[in-house]
Amino acid sequence: MKLLQALVIALACGLSLAATNVELEAKTYVAKASQRFYNLHDKITAEIFTMDDDDDMNTALNKLSTIKEIAKDLVEISEEAGEFDLSEISDPQLKRALTNLREVGSLFVLGDEYFESIAVALEALQSLVSDKDIEPYLGGINMPNQDDSPIAYYPDIEKVFETSTDAEELKYYWQAFREKNAVWASVNFYTIIEAIQKAATILDRPVLDLYYSNYDTEEFLKEMDKVMEELKPTYQQLHAFIRNELYKKYGDDVVDPNGPIPDHLFEQVLSQAWKEGSVIETYFPFKELPSYDGFVKSFDSKKILNTAQEFYKSLGFSDLDEDFLKNRVKQQDESESTNGCRTTIVDNTPKVYMEYCQKVDFKKFMQAHGYVGRIQYAQEKKNLPSYFFDAYDLEYPVGEAVILSASAPKHLQAIGLAQDHAFTDKALMNRLFRMGIHTILNIPVFYVHSKIVNELLNGTVDMEGVNRRYWKLMEEYAGVEPPSDREEGSIDFPYNFYFEVEENHQTKKFVSEILGYQFYKALCQKSGQTGQLHNCDFYGNKDVGNVMKSMMTLGSTKPWKEVISKILTDKPSLCAEPLMEYYTPIVDWLKAINKQNKVKIGWNESRMKAL
């Protein structure tokens, strides 16, 4: 008996020693890999950021060759980290480090296929918006000096959707863009889907776990579903109002008063939310809004950036890194821009690079608060090992929360931009309604887009049936239908669906909107403010800044819920309640007018066919 006990003890000690040795080896490895990963990402970021359309062929090829070599090294890190058996690692931090390092190769694990096929497909999808290949609708009234030269979605067709009241013109462009790009879009998009599936196989990861990075995928997707259920009553009230206004405007030949909204008119409503002549014009005229662009008419792009930075400094954040300001930030050349004057930020490491848009208007002013949030987040994480630098994309909801505070009338008056403007109750409702259209209408679309990619990745739908499935989901969650029957082989995703699809951009947008309002409410409560949520401003509150920093410094060292619990102390999960609270005044107004007009809440099945 004693001999048996001795053998068991010896065996246990041996296993313990083996596990300890594995952990020691793993700790040594991740320490070296962290600096190596940092250096590689720093190099690849610098190469990408210095790429220029003016580069000659030799320069471009040399840069591409450098990126290829760096990519091979990143793949090597993934392979090395994958050699450790995680079941022999007891330290949860070490497990997280190895799991993160296993994925640093990303799509680069596909080797030359990435550069010869995947990168080409990604570029092709991005070019859909700027290719001048759509024949103009010559009967339209919104294209000055109109001729028969082909036009692009951006900026030409986008401007039509922002201004046109001609349903036929909008329908024409909706169809023309999709018909022109159907084959090109489907082939390149499916190339990306297959690439993600192949990469997951190579990395020995379930494909959705790879696509959703460090989330607990199953639980996270359930939370997204829960948010949609929470938001449904509010969304249906807004949908019913908009559909009724479109029905009054265009008649039942175009809009079924009890059915889904045709997608070309849905896009029109979104595009015109902050324009004169929108669906709320009868009730809340655009001319009665404050002149928001006028608030920043004396600004240039640099002052916009500095003013946004002042907001973070008021919360106790440090100045922007001097090296960043001197060497890693530059103005965008608008003459060469094909992305709609969109600021570009690369923040894979603490060495952030930024190319900002020179355009000056109130929208860009608010966006700058989000961009600076990403830079500040990077500065707060700078002491973390590189494998913990990813922070679940929480930079975006943090930025959203700050934007909500910075755009509050109370804040605009406090910093002197709107000191001469009195925000009446009607003006506040006007602002809220336009914000609500932009936010509430988009959330189900982000959700559907995420769901479609998920189903393609896990094989529950294929490319032959994806368009039919897309319209079923759009009808179910957004109450939207195609403007006409769709033929077999159609691919009807909007152009923004393809934007950074390999990086799960649509889910990022969904989470950013929902979590942004949650952070905003929690930070407003931390600041001690009372009253209506939509006019809270936590500018200048150091306690708010400290709470934000306590989350930001964690990176991904802890599971997602533990990280967000630094701000969401009571309920660290996705929840639509703060967003709905923010828009309570317009929801109450919608309920009353919908009841008065006796409109249907919800929608019948679509009259259109999607094959």
Side-chain angles (χ1 to χ4, degrees):
M1 185 67 178
K2 288 182 178 179
L3 178 60
L4 179 61
Q5 287 176 326
L7 287 170
V8 170
I9 292 170
L11 181 61
C13 288
L15 289 174
S16 175
L17 182 60
T20 301
N21 287 338
V22 170
E23 291 211 358
L24 286 173
E25 185 182 348
K27 285 179 180 177
T28 301
Y29 170 73
V30 298
K32 293 179 179 178
S34 175
Q35 188 59 45
R36 184 178 169 202
F37 174 51
Y38 174 90
N39 291 337
L40 290 170
H41 250 301
D42 190 37
K43 287 180 183 177
I44 203 168
T45 299
E47 289 294 330
I48 292 172
F49 198 70
T50 58
M51 280 190 165
D52 197 307
D53 290 340
D54 292 333
D55 285 346
D56 60 38
M57 183 63 72
N58 286 335
T59 302
L61 288 175
N62 285 336
K63 288 181 178 179
L64 181 60
S65 178
T66 301
I67 291 171
K68 278 188 174 185
E69 290 304 312
I70 295 170
K72 286 180 183 178
D73 286 338
L74 289 170
V75 171
E76 191 174 279
I77 291 175
S78 290
E79 292 171 344
E80 291 168 352
E83 291 175 3
F84 290 92
D85 185 350
L86 296 183
S87 66
E88 296 184 20
I89 307 291
S90 59
D91 183 345
Q93 288 286 82
L94 187 55
K95 270 189 177 181
R96 294 185 66 78
L98 287 168
T99 299
N100 290 355
L101 285 170
R102 284 179 171 194
E103 295 179 4
V104 300
S106 186
L107 293 182
F108 289 146
V109 297
L110 300 173
D112 286 341
E113 181 184 355
Y114 175 85
F115 294 97
E116 295 168 5
S117 177
I118 313 308
V120 173
L122 290 169
E123 179 61 29
L125 290 176
Q126 299 308 312
S127 71
L128 294 180
V129 70
S130 56
D131 287 345
K132 290 186 175 291
D133 57 3
I134 308 295
E135 298 300 320
Y137 180 73
L138 297 178
I141 59 174
N142 296 287
M143 297 289 292
N145 304 316
Q146 198 171 58
D147 58 32
D148 59 357
S149 300
I151 60 176
Y153 194 94
Y154 177 83
D156 310 312
I157 296 173
E158 188 175 84
K159 288 179 180 177
V160 174
F161 274 92
E162 290 176 355
T163 56
S164 178
T165 58
D166 185 339
E168 283 301 311
E169 180 182 30
L170 298 172
K171 181 179 178 180
Y172 167 80
Y173 282 122
W174 187 97
Q175 292 174 329
F177 174 75
R178 285 156 178 80
E179 288 168 5
K180 176 64 71 173
N181 293 300
V183 175
W184 190 242
S186 59
V187 168
N188 287 292
F189 172 57
Y190 198 53
T191 297
I192 306 305
I193 295 296
E194 288 184 321
I196 298 169
Q197 291 170 328
K198 288 179 185 176
T201 300
I202 293 170
L203 293 167
D204 194 25
R205 293 274 279 157
V207 65
L208 289 186
D209 285 0
L210 177 64
Y211 196 56
Y212 282 89
S213 190
N214 295 321
Y215 294 121
D216 181 332
T217 307
E218 186 176 350
E219 183 181 1
F220 180 74
L221 293 177
K222 285 180 180 177
E223 288 197 7
M224 289 181 68
D225 295 341
K226 178 178 67 71
V227 164
M228 291 304 299
E229 281 301 309
E230 293 170 347
L231 189 62
K232 187 175 180 180
T234 295
Y235 182 82
Q236 288 186 336
Q237 290 290 337
L238 180 58
H239 180 281
F241 168 79
I242 288 172
R243 180 185 55 203
N244 190 53
E245 293 303 306
L246 292 171
Y247 167 69
K248 290 191 295 185
K249 189 172 187 175
Y250 295 114
D252 59 9
D253 287 341
V254 178
V255 181
D256 179 354
N258 297 310
I261 297 171
D263 197 28
H264 63 306
L265 298 182
F266 188 79
E267 186 175 339
Q268 176 202 38
V269 170
L270 283 168
S271 299
Q272 296 183 7
W274 286 93
K275 304 290 182 181
E276 191 167 5
S278 73
V279 289
I280 69 169
E281 191 70 23
T282 302
Y283 311 92
F284 300 100
F286 182 80
K287 66 182 180 182
E288 294 182 6
L289 276 173
S291 176
Y292 283 101
D293 286 345
F295 293 161
V296 294
K297 64 182 179 182
S298 64
F299 284 33
D300 58 20
S301 52
K302 189 166 287 188
K303 187 173 180 180
I304 279 182
L305 193 64
N306 290 339
T307 305
Q309 166 61 4
E310 282 301 316
F311 192 106
Y312 289 89
K313 286 182 67 177
S314 81
L315 302 178
F317 286 88
S318 60
D319 282 321
L320 295 179
D321 180 76
E322 196 63 33
D323 181 57
F324 166 77
L325 293 173
K326 286 184 177 179
N327 303 313
R328 289 180 277 116
V329 60
K330 63 182 181 180
Q331 289 188 342
Q332 184 181 92
D333 185 345
E334 292 184 72
S335 65
E336 297 177 0
S337 173
T338 59
N339 68 356
C341 196
R342 183 186 293 116
T343 294
T344 301
I345 296 178
V346 185
D347 54 355
N348 295 320
T349 74
K351 246 179 135 175
V352 179
Y353 289 79
M354 178 181 184
E355 184 178 58
Y356 62 90
C357 176
Q358 297 182 52
K359 185 177 179 180
V360 174
D361 58 26
F362 190 75
K363 181 179 179 180
K364 296 298 179 188
F365 177 55
M366 286 297 107
Q367 288 173 339
H369 289 74
Y371 300 142
V372 173
R374 289 176 63 181
I375 300 166
Q376 289 289 358
Y377 214 127
Q379 290 190 174
E380 292 299 316
K381 296 182 294 179
K382 66 184 179 183
N383 294 322
L384 290 174
S386 59
Y387 47 77
F388 286 142
F389 198 74
D390 177 83
Y392 311 110
D393 300 311
L394 292 174
E395 300 91 337
Y396 300 97
V398 164
E400 288 291 331
V402 171
I403 288 170
L404 288 171
S405 181
S407 63
K410 181 187 293 186
H411 177 72
L412 296 176
Q413 289 175 324
I415 64 172
L417 292 185
Q419 61 184 359
D420 298 326
H421 189 89
F423 286 89
T424 64
D425 289 343
K426 191 172 183 181
L428 290 172
M429 284 286 286
N430 201 335
R431 165 185 174 266
L432 265 186
F433 215 144
R434 294 172 191 275
M435 287 179 66
I437 287 173
H438 172 78
T439 301
I440 298 171
L441 288 192
N442 264 316
I443 288 173
V445 178
F446 297 146
Y447 175 81
V448 169
H449 289 175
S450 298
K451 201 170 182 67
I452 278 290
V453 176
N454 293 351
E455 293 183 1
L456 281 166
L457 287 173
N458 65 24
T460 54
V461 68
D462 57 27
M463 284 302 289
E464 289 184 4
V466 73
N467 207 53
R468 180 169 59 252
R469 177 63 174 159
Y470 173 69
W471 285 117
K472 183 176 181 180
L473 291 173
M474 284 295 287
E475 180 182 319
E476 179 180 354
Y477 291 102
V480 173
E481 66 182 4
S484 59
D485 291 341
R486 307 307 294 148
E487 297 178 358
E488 189 173 358
S490 297
I491 184 92
D492 292 332
F493 307 137
Y495 80 91
N496 53 7
F497 170 85
Y498 302 106
F499 181 72
E500 294 182 355
V501 66
E502 81 286 4
E503 296 182 12
N504 205 351
H505 181 72
Q506 296 295 299
T507 303
K508 288 181 187 179
K509 292 292 291 180
F510 180 94
V511 174
S512 178
E513 293 287 3
I514 298 299
L515 206 51
Y517 283 85
Q518 290 180 258
F519 285 172
Y520 177 64
K521 180 179 179 179
L523 296 173
C524 284
Q525 290 174 334
K526 184 68 178 177
S527 71
Q529 294 194 48
T530 58
Q532 292 184 310
L533 184 59
H534 64 82
N535 202 15
C536 160
D537 174 28
F538 49 72
Y539 178 86
N541 193 294
K542 297 295 193 297
D543 290 339
V544 165
N546 288 335
V547 170
M548 291 169 68
K549 290 179 188 178
S550 71
M551 183 185 79
M552 294 158 79
T553 54
L554 288 176
S556 55
T557 57
K558 304 288 184 184
W560 178 68
K561 286 200 170 185
E562 286 188 42
V563 174
I564 65 173
S565 70
K566 292 295 182 179
I567 294 180
L568 304 180
T569 54
D570 295 332
K571 190 178 180 183
S573 60
L574 293 177
C575 175
E577 184 275 330
L579 184 147
M580 294 187 292
E581 179 184 343
Y582 187 93
Y583 292 106
T584 294
I586 67 165
V587 175
D588 291 343
W589 185 90
L590 285 167
K591 288 177 180 177
I593 198 164
N594 285 338
K595 184 176 181 180
Q596 176 184 317
N597 292 333
K598 299 179 181 179
V599 299
K600 178 182 176 66
I601 307 300
W603 46 85
N604 298 333
E605 287 187 7
S606 173
R607 300 179 295 189
M608 302 301 174
K609 295 178 181 177
L611 299 178

